[in-house]
Amino acid sequence: MTLGKLCGMKRRNEPITWLTCYDYPMAQIMDASGMDTMLVGDSGAMTVLGYPTTLPQTLDAQLMVTEAVLRGTSYAFVVGDMSYMTYEMSKKELGKLGIDVD
């Protein structure tokens, strides 16, 4: 599955299957069932690792889970969440770019 194929399905108003997946065996099962897309959510911190929130999920842990799901797929398009605060710049970094956030 590719983004282009997903966009074509959307344009043709075809259903797109999408579920959340957190590990290799479930990825194999979902892929074999013909799942179009799998989300590897940071909610795995709670549902798999037992944390009370998603906040402790590190980017390294998120990448490890996403890689496991990728190894279990040959068809599905895999989308991996980024862990909280791994994608935003600090106020200091934004200031260096001349962006005022106050």
Side-chain angles (χ1 to χ4, degrees), residues 1-18 36-37 75 77:
M1 183 57 63
T2 65
L3 279 177
K5 288 180 183 179
L6 288 169
C7 288
M9 292 170 73
K10 169 78 172 147
R11 276 193 304 276
R12 293 185 300 275
N13 205 29
E14 295 176 13
I16 298 171
T17 55
W18 184 296
D36 298 317
T37 308
Y75 170 76
F77 187 83

Side-chain angles (χ1 to χ4, degrees), residues 42-56:
D42 63 351
S43 55
M46 297 168 62
T47 60
V48 176
L49 301 178
Y51 290 113
T53 70
T54 61
L55 298 180

Side-chain angles (χ1 to χ4, degrees), residues 42 53-60 62 81-94 101:
D42 63 351
T53 70
T54 61
L55 298 180
Q57 182 78 328
T58 65
L59 185 56
D60 285 341
Q62 185 65 25
D81 273 354
M82 293 193 61
S83 304
Y84 182 71
M85 293 301 292
T86 61
Y87 54 89
E88 295 182 17
M89 298 177 77
S90 69
K91 287 183 180 183
K92 183 177 179 180
E93 291 169 318
L94 290 169
V101 293

